Amino acid sequence: MRLTDTHSHLYAEEFDTDRAEALDRARKAGVARLLLPAIDSLSHGRLFALAASEPDMCRPMMGLHPTSVNDNPRWREELDTVGRYLAEPPRGLRFCAVGEIGLDYYWSRDYVAEQREAFVAQCRLAARLDLPVAIHTRAAWDDMCEILEAECAAAAARGERLRGVLHAFSEDAGTYRRLRRCGEWLFGIGGVVTFKKSAVAAAVAEIPLEHMVLETDCPYLTPVPHRGGRNESAYVRYVCDKVAEIKGMDPEEVAAATTASAERMFGAGAAAPATTTTTA
């Protein structure tokens, strides 16, 4: 079995005492690649260090998380940093996507305008660079769909394309259909699908397998049977098994199809290290 965890924060402090062991457990579970979304400049060094130390397994992204916009007077400077790194990555690295970006109104609606500005700017940057995006959405799905419909159409009119993954997708099949109509979108299915009475399970039953990728979002959103503890990339195997159960398929088939989709979406941007001389 060859799995891809398309959304892993294995560089986070929660793994400082056993990161190497967590990587080994992921390998033993059949995980061949981890995609590492950025959050903000406070964790860039950790992200770059892991990607540089495990270049065959770990591929970094670069972006500004929506909650890092909240109550942050320097968020536009952070956005400039994202642009600079995408233009000239640290030596030996190549970013496979613009992420983790998006909208998150769960904690506060005081920064909706700022989050929307940062999200649209990063979508346009990704389209210009022909990179996929990894999108975080929480308590903001109506705005997300509206923005993506507009930005996908605008990108097409410019001769560009906006595409990517809706990370931690937990909405219904109607939202899936609406987003697929506006562009080339994959839907990240994570540990929530294993929860009892999970609403996303019904959507997974309708979403074609080729439109899904698997993820953990570790150390968060831990799947059953480890719910309540720290998540890690090895646990993407439980997500695979649950999707296979819902679909009535063999887990090997789910692993192969979702990994192939991840490679189609992210492969060109993650094909080889860059040769720039910038230091992290």
Side-chain angles (χ1 to χ4, degrees):
M1 180 177 291
R2 184 168 177 266
L3 290 157
T4 299
D5 182 357
T6 60
H7 203 101
S8 170
H9 296 281
L10 202 71
Y11 60 88
E13 293 179 353
E14 286 86 345
F15 295 99
D16 280 356
T17 61
D18 68 339
R19 187 170 289 106
E21 292 82 358
L23 280 166
D24 189 54
R25 288 190 291 270
R27 290 187 184 99
K28 289 177 178 176
V31 183
R33 179 162 295 170
L34 314 181
L35 305 186
L36 310 176
I39 299 296
D40 56 37
S41 61
L42 293 177
S43 56
H44 286 168
R46 306 168 68 84
L47 168 65
F48 298 162
L50 177 56
S53 68
E54 297 284 346
D56 293 331
M57 190 175 188
C58 298
R59 302 296 169 87
M61 305 180 193
M62 176 47 55
L64 180 62
H65 193 283
T67 60
S68 294
V69 173
N70 292 359
D71 199 25
N72 179 3
R74 299 180 61 252
W75 70 268
R76 287 190 177 87
E77 294 175 38
E78 291 268 1
L79 208 56
D80 289 342
T81 298
V82 168
R84 286 196 302 272
Y85 273 130
L86 288 169
E88 192 174 8
R91 184 177 178 84
L93 299 183
R94 176 172 292 175
F95 298 112
C96 67
V98 178
E100 179 176 354
I101 67 175
L103 302 174
D104 189 324
Y105 303 163
Y106 180 80
W107 301 105
S108 173
R109 294 190 63 89
D110 292 340
Y111 305 97
V112 167
E114 291 88 345
Q115 283 195 19
R116 286 174 63 106
E117 181 181 337
F119 176 54
V120 168
Q122 291 179 97
C123 283
R124 292 177 182 176
L125 178 61
R128 186 165 70 251
L129 296 174
D130 196 25
L131 284 172
V133 293
I135 295 179
H136 169 110
T137 312
R138 192 177 187 192
W141 278 102
D142 287 343
D143 279 11
M144 178 59 66
C145 290
E146 176 188 311
I147 289 172
L148 288 182
E149 286 167 341
E151 289 302 316
C152 285
R158 296 191 302 267
E160 299 170 347
R161 58 176 179 163
L162 179 59
R163 70 198 193 282
V165 171
L166 278 302
H167 149 61
F169 185 72
S170 58
E171 294 300 290
D172 60 18
T175 303
Y176 152 74
R177 289 190 295 270
R178 180 179 178 183
L179 289 166
R180 278 296 301 186
R181 283 194 295 269
C182 74
E184 184 185 350
W185 296 102
L186 298 175
F187 298 81
I189 307 302
V192 174
V193 76
T194 70
F195 297 174
K196 187 177 181 180
K197 298 181 181 178
S198 168
V200 76
V204 165
E206 180 167 334
I207 298 172
L209 185 59
E210 60 269 23
H211 295 170
M212 283 188 268
V213 290
L214 306 181
E215 61 173 57
T216 60
D217 197 20
C218 69
Y220 317 109
L221 298 179
T222 310
V224 174
H226 297 288
R227 188 178 183 186
R230 185 194 68 177
N231 200 2
E232 59 181 78
S233 285
Y235 296 170
V236 75
R237 177 65 183 266
Y238 297 111
V239 179
C240 179
D241 289 346
K242 186 62 178 183
V243 170
E245 176 189 321
I246 293 167
K247 291 288 194 184
M249 296 177 173
D250 188 277
E252 291 275 0
E253 184 178 0
V254 172
T258 53
T259 288
S261 293
E263 290 175 350
R264 283 194 301 272
M265 181 63 73
F266 296 104
T275 57
T276 59
T277 57
T278 302
T279 56

